[in-house]
Amino acid sequence: LFPESITTEQQSLVLVKRLLAISMSCITYMRGLFPESSYGTRYLDDLCLKILREDKSCLGSLQIVKWIQGCFDALEKQYVILGFYALSSNPTVTEMYQFKFKYKKKVPQMDISSNHREFVAGLCSKDVKQASRLLLRTLYLLMQDLGPLPNDITLSMKLLYYNDVTPKDYQPPGFKEDGSPGDLLFAGDPVNLRVGSVSTDFHLMKVRATTEKKRVRKADSNLIQKNGPTEISHQGLDCEEEEEEEESTKINLLNLAFSQEEVVGPEKKRKVSEPEKLPLNGRK
């Protein structure tokens, strides 16, 4: 399921792509969006994973597979910083999942626990795999604790990019320029849930979920981001400013806004793209 070792940039990329695909598959499966025929089965230790495949009898699952492949293209080029995956019941958002990516330039690390100045390889493949397992287990547990979805659910996705490296005319396969930069509104009081993060010598991937507080039945209190932002803006900062982003994102209990200009001005707008929205009125 994961590379045997994660010591090269290519192996790290394969891991991150598989984590993204498995996570999005987990969300669609556990939320009952597509039929069983749209999934293959893989095992991670004792955890049974359902992974989306190209099911020609289900156009919805085919579309999500194309979305994931578009994300892969942006990951390979190291353009994408943030992916939002929203389940909405007009006009409000019911659940939203955030995938955040950072790309590292590997440098030798010094072993400061030794009297000798020896350089070590960096993050251990075993630790990376353990973090990956923990992220997926936490996501599965969270899915089990969420209340049922409304019948009229629409899937949407937005990708945000690093401005300083992404060409202005770039769009991943299956995506287009964002045509609806309005707010994503929650009907009730939203709560942020920290699903987990995986860090290699070359990539960092963080996963978070946001939903209405009343829809979380018994989530582990450690998952709840007490003072975390419930408004996510498109501006997401550039590479050198990215670490400051989480501290500066404003708190607003009523919506997740995609307004950009009020914080950073029009010259710093984050490039955003989206695929076609996917209505799922006839889901299983």
Side-chain angles (χ1 to χ4, degrees), residues 34 59-61 63-64 67 153-156 276-280:
F34 304 122
L59 295 180
S61 65
Q63 190 64 45
I64 299 298
W67 291 8
I153 280 291
T154 297
L155 283 177
S156 60
E276 295 294 334
K277 291 183 174 62
L278 183 62
L280 295 172

Side-chain angles (χ1 to χ4, degrees), residues 40 49 59 97 100 110 227 266:
L49 301 174
L59 295 180
Y97 302 88
K100 184 174 183 179
M110 188 175 294
N227 300 311

Side-chain angles (χ1 to χ4, degrees), residues 69-83:
Q69 291 170 343
C71 294
F72 285 176
D73 186 82
L75 279 169
E76 290 167 2
K77 292 178 170 64
Q78 298 192 355
Y79 290 165
V80 64
I81 177 176
L82 212 56

Side-chain angles (χ1 to χ4, degrees), residues 16-273:
V16 171
K17 288 163 69 172
R18 289 183 182 175
L19 277 175
L20 176 63
I22 295 170
S23 297
M24 292 184 67
S25 297
C26 166
I27 294 165
T28 61
Y29 183 80
M30 297 296 289
R31 306 312 281 137
L33 302 184
F34 304 122
E36 190 76 27
S37 61
S38 297
Y39 299 88
T41 302
R42 298 289 296 274
Y43 286 90
L44 181 63
D45 299 331
D46 60 342
L47 184 62
C48 178
L49 301 174
K50 296 292 185 176
I51 302 177
L52 273 169
R53 60 187 178 189
E54 293 181 304
D55 178 11
K56 294 182 180 179
S57 65
C58 179
L59 295 180
S61 65
L62 279 175
Q63 190 64 45
I64 299 298
V65 170
K66 290 181 180 178
W67 291 8
I68 294 173
Q69 291 170 343
C71 294
F72 285 176
D73 186 82
L75 279 169
E76 290 167 2
K77 292 178 170 64
Q78 298 192 355
Y79 290 165
V80 64
I81 177 176
L82 212 56
F84 290 103
Y85 185 57
L87 285 74
S88 307
S89 178
N90 286 335
T92 58
V93 176
T94 304
E95 297 170 12
M96 193 180 75
Y97 302 88
Q98 174 186 332
F99 299 88
K100 184 174 183 179
F101 305 99
K102 183 178 179 181
Y103 312 96
K104 307 177 187 178
K105 294 180 180 178
K106 185 177 180 182
V107 294
Q109 298 182 351
M110 188 175 294
D111 184 0
I112 59 176
S113 64
S114 169
N115 293 328
H116 304 286
R117 294 192 173 188
E118 298 177 351
F119 288 99
V120 296
L123 293 166
C124 172
S125 296
K126 181 180 178 181
D127 293 339
V128 172
K129 291 181 182 180
Q130 185 175 350
S132 302
R133 293 186 188 98
L134 180 59
L135 185 151
L136 294 174
R137 285 183 181 278
T138 304
L139 186 58
Y140 264 77
L141 289 173
L142 173 62
M143 296 292 100
Q144 294 172 8
D145 286 338
L146 294 177
L149 291 170
N151 290 325
D152 57 335
I153 280 291
T154 297
L155 283 177
S156 60
M157 188 169 192
K158 293 179 187 286
L159 296 181
L160 285 69
Y161 304 92
Y162 286 101
N163 282 344
D164 61 342
V165 295
T166 307
K168 291 184 177 180
D169 60 351
Y170 171 76
Q171 296 294 343
F175 285 72
K176 61 180 182 176
E177 185 176 353
D178 179 29
S180 54
D183 295 349
L184 295 180
L185 304 174
F186 279 86
D189 185 7
V191 60
N192 274 324
L193 302 167
R194 293 174 296 199
V195 178
S197 65
V198 175
S199 181
T200 74
D201 287 325
F202 304 94
H203 298 87
L204 171 66
M205 174 178 167
K206 292 183 179 180
V207 183
R208 292 176 184 166
T210 307
T211 188
E212 294 175 37
K213 190 178 294 185
K214 66 181 181 182
R215 300 191 66 256
V216 184
R217 294 167 178 162
K218 53 178 181 179
D220 186 332
S221 59
N222 291 328
L223 297 181
I224 298 175
Q225 197 174 339
K226 305 284 186 185
N227 300 311
T230 50
E231 177 185 287
I232 308 296
S233 297
H234 269 183
Q235 81 273 6
L237 306 176
D238 280 329
C239 298
E240 67 277 9
E241 302 168 324
E242 194 246 346
E243 293 302 329
E244 300 174 9
E245 177 201 1
E246 294 183 18
E247 302 299 327
S248 63
T249 311
K250 297 191 295 182
I251 295 177
N252 184 320
L253 292 180
L254 296 179
N255 62 8
L256 275 103
F258 279 130
S259 58
Q260 306 180 63
E261 295 188 16
E262 66 178 42
V263 177
V264 293
E267 73 282 356
K268 289 288 287 183
K269 279 188 180 180
R270 172 68 59 194
K271 175 181 171 62
V272 184
S273 59

